[in-house]
Amino acid sequence: GVSNAVRTAQFFGAIVGVLMEDEIPQGLQLIANGLAHELILNGQKRVHYRVISSSFLRLIVGYLFLSSLFINVAQNSDVISIFYDVLALEFVENIDDTAYALGKKIIVV
């Protein structure tokens, strides 16, 4: 068993990680938008399959994040390592959003 402080940190680490996870809602929203509208690239070619496939990949990333979060939180027996692991997982998950934003700015400029 673990102490009450570690159990409390595990609970709060899981809650914070779930609240900070945004890949699943974004993926579901993109799928809904892709199915509801006709998406055309440069007026020539439909891009539904690209939007929906990238949205499914986003969903997979979100579920992998949640599963690794719960595994890390359940296996740690030290309070500080729980919060470091949650912070590291969130950082790794946000790398793709940052890269996309940078790429979008470079293309627009």
Side-chain angles (χ1 to χ4, degrees):
V2 294
S3 67
N4 287 336
V6 172
R7 194 172 308 272
T8 304
Q10 288 173 335
F11 175 75
F12 283 121
I15 293 296
V16 167
V18 168
L19 290 176
M20 292 175 68
E21 201 282 321
D22 62 345
E23 297 289 333
I24 295 173
Q26 285 179 358
L28 292 174
Q29 183 180 13
L30 288 172
I31 289 173
N33 289 342
L35 293 175
H37 302 291
E38 185 155 336
L39 302 172
I40 297 177
L41 181 64
N42 292 333
Q44 299 172 1
K45 188 166 68 169
R46 297 178 72 189
V47 292
H48 282 291
Y49 67 95
R50 290 183 186 174
V51 171
I52 292 175
S53 63
S54 67
S55 300
F56 277 122
L57 291 175
R58 187 176 286 265
L59 286 173
I60 290 170
V61 167
Y63 288 126
L64 287 174
F65 169 78
L66 288 178
S67 62
S68 63
L69 170 76
F70 289 128
I71 289 170
N72 281 327
V73 166
Q75 287 182 349
N76 283 329
S77 60
D78 186 19
V79 174
I80 196 73
S81 64
I82 291 171
F83 287 108
Y84 280 152
D85 286 344
V86 170
L87 182 65
L89 283 171
E90 186 62 32
F91 174 75
V92 169
E93 187 193 23
N94 285 327
I95 287 175
D96 66 333
D97 294 331
T98 305
Y100 176 76
L102 287 174
K104 188 175 177 182
K105 285 185 179 184
I106 291 172
I107 290 173
V108 170
V109 172

